[in-house]
Amino acid sequence: GDSVTQMEGPVTLSEEAFLTINCTYTATGYPSLFWYVQYPGEGLQLLLKATKADDKGSNKGFEATYRKETTSFHLEKGSVQVSDSAVYFCALRGVREGSNYKLTFGKGTLLTVNP
Amino acid sequence: DVKVTQSSRYLVKRTGEKVFLECVQDMDHENMFWYRQDPGLGLRLIYFSYDVKMKEKGDIPEGYSVSREKKERFSLILESASTNQTSMYLCASRVAGGSHEQFFGPGTRLTVL
């Protein structure tokens, strides 16, 4: 079945540092890929997405590129802020009949940014 | 502004009690979901409803049931709560056939003693 593997946290950075959170996936065909963010005490919200190979999703200074050849969708930000402290989830929507209605999530990566 | 609300942020129940978790969305979405979130396990799908009175089991339906009598409301029921159901429960909704973005509620942290 479909699966998502993301780097385990927690990740602790200083403000203005560069961020990478790795995400790789296993799925047939060309799934849609997502990054969701969960701020403390809140539900998840969509951060960015990509629906086909080589697409780059971007939002709030975060970027991720859909790499079919490496089955990856790594999240990056050039300069993190304290307000970016949150849990980040990589997710995919598969294309197989019977499972294409749902999202498969990674386990989440806790990011803490210190001033 | 899109909105998914959950009836409680925090809930404490005793083993064996029947528990109802309510979720309401105001976006006229056809699809609604219930997940549980546990540290180190991420989000796991409990049940999915693709329309009123329609439901499908997710990855971990054991010990849970659901009800969708109205389009905007999706209820998760724990018939007889157990301590291993202590968790954060998240509800989500999305429009059918759309971008597949799911909109999440703030979550209910349930503790079963």
Side-chain angles (χ1 to χ4, degrees):
Chain A
D2 299 339
S3 67
V4 174
T5 303
Q6 62 181 101
M7 65 185 282
E8 294 195 19
V11 174
T12 303
L13 296 173
S14 297
E15 207 163 21
E16 299 184 4
F18 184 85
L19 169 71
T20 300
I21 301 178
N22 290 337
C23 171
T24 57
Y25 68 88
T26 301
T28 54
Y30 288 80
S32 297
L33 301 173
F34 305 83
W35 277 101
Y36 278 80
V37 59
Q38 184 179 32
Y39 297 105
E42 298 183 14
L44 278 70
Q45 55 186 274
L46 180 66
L47 181 60
L48 52 84
K49 66 181 181 184
T51 57
K52 59 184 190 294
D54 300 324
D55 263 4
K56 178 186 280 188
S58 61
N59 186 24
K60 299 182 182 180
F62 291 89
E63 292 183 341
T65 301
Y66 187 149
R67 302 282 188 206
K68 178 65 174 172
E69 63 275 14
T70 54
T71 62
S72 65
F73 192 53
H74 304 321
L75 183 68
E76 296 183 336
K77 186 175 186 183
S79 176
V80 294
Q81 306 299 312
V82 172
S83 57
D84 294 326
S85 298
V87 181
Y88 292 82
F89 292 91
C90 185
L92 72 80
R93 176 196 160 251
V95 297
R96 288 183 300 125
E97 184 125 5
S99 66
N100 55 0
Y101 60 87
K102 67 175 187 175
L103 296 178
T104 299
F105 287 87
K107 295 182 179 181
T109 303
L110 173 63
L111 169 67
T112 301
V113 180
N114 295 318
Chain B
D1 203 17
V2 298
K3 200 92 172 173
V4 179
T5 57
Q6 296 184 228
S7 50
S8 306
R9 293 300 299 270
Y10 300 93
L11 208 52
V12 179
K13 295 292 182 181
R14 297 211 173 270
T15 301
E17 281 193 77
K18 190 168 186 175
V19 182
F20 293 87
L21 302 182
E22 305 285 340
C23 175
V24 177
Q25 51 95 3
D26 66 359
M27 297 165 282
D28 202 36
H29 285 170
E30 293 84 3
N31 300 163
M32 296 187 75
F33 305 81
W34 274 107
Y35 296 89
R36 64 178 281 176
Q37 180 182 8
D38 299 288
L41 296 176
L43 272 72
R44 293 178 291 168
L45 181 65
I46 304 171
Y47 264 98
F48 160 63
S49 170
Y50 49 94
D51 210 337
V52 176
K53 297 190 187 295
M54 301 298 196
K55 63 185 180 186
E56 284 202 15
K57 293 180 179 179
D59 300 317
I60 52 163
E62 297 78 18
Y64 303 94
S65 62
V66 290
S67 172
R68 183 110 180 262
E69 296 297 318
K70 293 185 177 182
K71 191 174 187 179
E72 68 271 18
R73 188 179 297 269
F74 191 34
S75 302
L76 180 69
I77 303 155
L78 288 65
E79 294 289 343
S80 178
S82 64
T83 54
N84 63 12
Q85 292 178 309
T86 292
S87 186
M88 171 70 85
Y89 290 87
L90 292 169
C91 175
S93 73
R94 71 172 174 92
V95 62
S99 69
H100 299 285
E101 176 182 357
Q102 293 186 17
F103 295 86
F104 283 82
T108 296
R109 184 164 293 283
L110 172 67
T111 302
V112 183
L113 302 175

